Structure formats: C-alpha cells, structure tokens
Amino acid sequence: MADFLLNAWYAGARANELGEQFLARRLLDQPILFWRTANGDPVAMLDRCPHRFASLHTGRRVGDAVECLYHGLRFDAAGRCTRSPYSETPPANAVVPTFPVVEHQGMVWIWMGDAARADPALIPDHPHNVRADLRPIFGHETFSGNWQLGNDNLMELTHLFFLHTSTIGGYKPDAGPVEGEEYVVRQVGTQVHSHTGTPRVPNKAPIDMGVDPVAHPLIDRWNDIVWDMPSAMKFAMCATPAGGPRDVAPYMYQSHLITPETKCTSHYFWNVARTFELTPEGDAKYLHFFGNIFRTEDAPMIEDIQHNMGEADLWDLKPVVLPRDRGAVLVRRLVARALAAQAGAEAIAAE
Ligand code: FES
Ligand SMILES: [Fe+2]
C-alpha cells in the first residue's frame, strides 16, 4: 500500500523561496520543479524532461519557458513543448506533467493527486501567517524519518518536558501530571483538535508570553492544536496569571506542515507568528531559535526512531500507548483509514 496520501494539499515551498530561479525539491518521492512566471504565478512541474529525462532545473529560463540543458526542448508553464530545435512542430508526446499549485498565506501548496479534485478551499487555513499585527517567520527543515513520525512528534507534546528541557520545555517543575491539568482530544469533522492546559507553572520561558514574571511568578498556560489531513497542524499558545481570565489572545501561533520527501525522509515547514520582539532582529533570532531546536533535538530523535523502526508499521511493533498519546493515535487512525480508502479506490480503478 502506498504510504502517501495523494489527494491532498501539501506545503511545497515557502512563498519567499520562489522567484526567478528554479527551485528543485523532491515531494512524495517525485522530483518537482517550482518557479514563477513573469507575472508572479507559481508553477510546479515534474523536474524531468520527457526526452532523455534530464532534470529540468539544470536548464535555462527563457521568458516563461524552461529550456532543457541537454538537447534544448522548451516547455511552457503548462508543460507543453513550445519549441524543438529539431522540427517545426514539437513532438506531440513532449509534455511535462504539471501540478495544481496555489500560493496561500505565505506558503505554496501543491496537489499531486487527481487534479480534478484540487479544490483550493481545502487548503488548511493558517491566517496568523498574514496578520499585519504579528511578525510571521517561515522556516524549512528536513528530517530523516517517515512523515507520520512528524505528526506523532507534534501531536504528543509531553516530549517538551524531556527532550526540550534545555530550550522550551524546562518550565514544568515535575514532568509528571499536575493537578488540574487539561488534556482534551476530539475529532471535529476531518480535523483533530487537541487542547493541553497546565495550571500554576513557573512563569519561565525564553520567550515573552505576555505575563510579567515579577508580578506573576506562576501562570496557567495552554495550547490548542488543530490538525488537518494529512499533516498540517496549527498551534495557538496562551498564558495568563495563575487563576486569571482565560479569554486572552494567544501570545504565539505556529504552523507545522509536514510533506513527505521520500518514504523515510520528510520536509518540515514551520511558521511562527509572534506578538513580541516585533523587529527584523527578532525575526532572525527566532528563525534560529526554533529551527535550531528542531535540528538539534527533534530531528535526531526522529531519525533514531526511524532507524529503530526500520520499515515496520508502527502498530505491527505493538507500541506502548500512554494517556497523552490520544491525539497522535487518533491522527494515526484517520491517516490509516484514508490510506486504506485510497488503496481500495486504486484497486477498483485497476480492475
Ligand atoms: S533530455 Fe531534455 S531535451 Fe533531451
Ligand atoms: Fe519537539
């Protein structure tokens, strides 16, 4: 059974990565070439010439066309061959597959399944990335692990208090249960919503949560996660003086968007929109801060897990399930169901 869900929007690139230059990236185990037309429209096409299969990203940009470096066939943004140096009319089968692509809220989304089903209304909504009163930053990392390990990592945040104690997870005095702690997971339509609240924790964090640590040494903090199929998550993080009102605006929003690269390697696009240090220096500082946490703490852990799991399915290894795994387990179930439905549809289509 295929491991990737094809009929879904995936984050393919950050919008600011696409310009005049070609961007080559492997997604869902296919070579993809991104570029923009002269009027700014993003383009995604297979990064493989249909003649002798050279990578098109090594070619030349000629107006709104890509000219293959090897023998000079030229393709427009729709993948049609517009010029062959060898005949008046280009060969009819000289076509490069293209993919629906939409720029939305700072990201470029690609649909690699049935193009007829690529409805832009299905793109996950992450409006914090375009809010004028926040400063969104856009990061991109890769990790050596199956994309579902990225879902697992982000839907199960107790790892903060063990893996991230030296960076963002050191605030909980005892990593065990705290009285009054909240953990609610529910399915809402095709989404999974997860709420985690921890009362009366030390007001200590390397970021400004909007509560004065001198006046309020203890805070209640919580985060709300919304997961969209197959691997888009948004976080809203809040804090209030211990026992204080809950109707406070988040001090930070985050997007976590996983896109399979190959079966056992993945892209991780992350965006953070914050309410503090709203300066270019703050942008640079937090791009490094959050990216470095992932690179030095999460990615090595995921890589270790992938190594230990090999090609096995998670459930075949009979993992211990802990109470705080509910969100990650629900996501796993929904993905497994969708993959099975996809396999069923493919089997019927092949009959
Ligand atoms: S491989 Fe591209 S034109 Fe020959
Ligand atoms: Fe983490």
Side-chain angles (χ1 to χ4, degrees), residues 153 157 159-160 163-164 168 293 298:
N153 183 54
L157 293 181
H159 82 267
L160 281 176
L163 184 61
H164 298 308
I168 43 172
I293 290 172
D298 293 287

Side-chain angles (χ1 to χ4, degrees), residues 17-339:
E17 288 184 287
L18 262 61
E20 285 274 299
Q21 305 295 317
F22 295 139
L23 173 70
R25 188 160 276 164
R26 194 164 194 88
L27 305 175
L28 279 61
D29 223 3
Q30 294 201 63
I32 303 296
L33 174 66
F34 289 104
W35 50 286
R36 279 188 198 277
T37 62
N39 64 10
D41 295 335
V43 177
M45 55 180 24
L46 197 68
D47 188 13
R48 195 174 70 193
C49 178
H51 176 225
R52 284 291 181 271
F53 312 117
S55 297
L56 289 170
H57 76 265
T58 64
R60 298 182 181 89
R61 177 83 188 259
V62 183
D64 272 352
V66 179
E67 185 177 277
C68 180
L69 184 66
Y70 205 6
H71 313 98
L73 290 181
R74 218 178 259 182
F75 303 94
D76 67 11
R80 291 175 300 239
C81 185
T82 54
R83 179 174 179 271
S84 164
Y86 315 101
S87 57
E88 283 279 306
T89 318
N93 63 346
V95 176
V96 178
T98 59
F99 302 92
V101 67
V102 175
E103 185 170 345
H104 184 62
Q105 295 170 338
M107 298 299 298
V108 175
W109 295 84
I110 182 171
W111 180 283
M112 295 175 65
D114 177 2
R117 293 175 59 184
D119 178 0
L122 299 174
I123 295 173
D125 186 31
H126 290 215
H128 51 267
N129 285 328
V130 287
R131 265 180 47 185
D133 58 329
L134 306 172
R135 274 192 90 93
I137 49 175
F138 295 83
H140 171 239
E141 320 291 336
T142 54
F143 60 89
S144 295
N146 177 266
W147 63 278
Q148 292 201 64
L149 294 178
N151 275 346
D152 290 343
N153 183 54
L154 290 153
M155 293 303 292
E156 205 288 87
L157 293 181
T158 51
H159 82 267
L160 281 176
F161 310 114
F162 296 92
L163 184 61
H164 298 308
T165 45
S166 63
T167 51
I168 43 172
Y171 61 84
K172 205 173 166 188
D174 175 351
V178 168
E179 199 177 329
E181 214 160 31
E182 301 152 11
Y183 181 59
V184 182
V185 172
R186 59 204 171 96
Q187 189 177 341
V188 180
T190 56
Q191 295 179 325
V192 172
H193 291 202
S194 164
H195 166 86
T196 306
T198 315
R200 302 184 64 75
V201 291
N203 187 1
K204 285 196 304 194
I207 52 180
D208 180 356
M209 294 182 289
V211 183
D212 179 358
V214 177
H216 304 287
L218 289 179
I219 53 170
D220 299 341
R221 56 187 295 178
W222 64 96
N223 64 62
D224 289 288
I225 302 177
V226 176
W227 171 87
D228 273 292
M229 185 78 80
S231 46
M233 288 147 277
K234 62 182 168 191
F235 291 14
M237 285 129 135
C238 298
T240 195
R246 283 300 189 99
D247 58 345
V248 296
Y251 63 85
M252 183 165 59
Y253 300 86
Q254 299 182 353
S255 300
H256 301 276
L257 313 168
I258 313 285
T259 304
E261 180 181 47
T262 65
K263 183 176 166 71
C264 291
T265 62
S266 304
H267 295 278
Y268 169 47
F269 297 94
W270 59 270
N271 316 330
V272 170
R274 62 191 195 281
T275 54
F276 48 89
E277 295 181 61
L278 304 178
T279 60
E281 293 74 32
D283 294 348
K285 174 180 165 186
Y286 289 106
L287 254 180
H288 175 76
F289 178 76
F290 288 110
N292 197 48
I293 290 172
F294 185 82
R295 289 189 293 272
T296 60
E297 296 179 340
D298 293 287
M301 176 59 77
I302 296 173
E303 189 169 343
D304 176 52
I305 290 167
Q306 181 67 64
H307 176 74
N308 287 334
M309 288 178 65
E311 301 265 310
D313 178 79
L314 178 84
W315 302 116
D316 290 345
L317 294 174
K318 304 202 178 339
V320 171
V321 175
L322 301 173
R324 283 300 176 95
D325 292 343
R326 276 214 303 284
V329 167
L330 180 54
V331 162
R332 281 263 178 188
R333 283 213 187 104
L334 294 173
V335 168
R337 213 175 289 162
L339 284 168

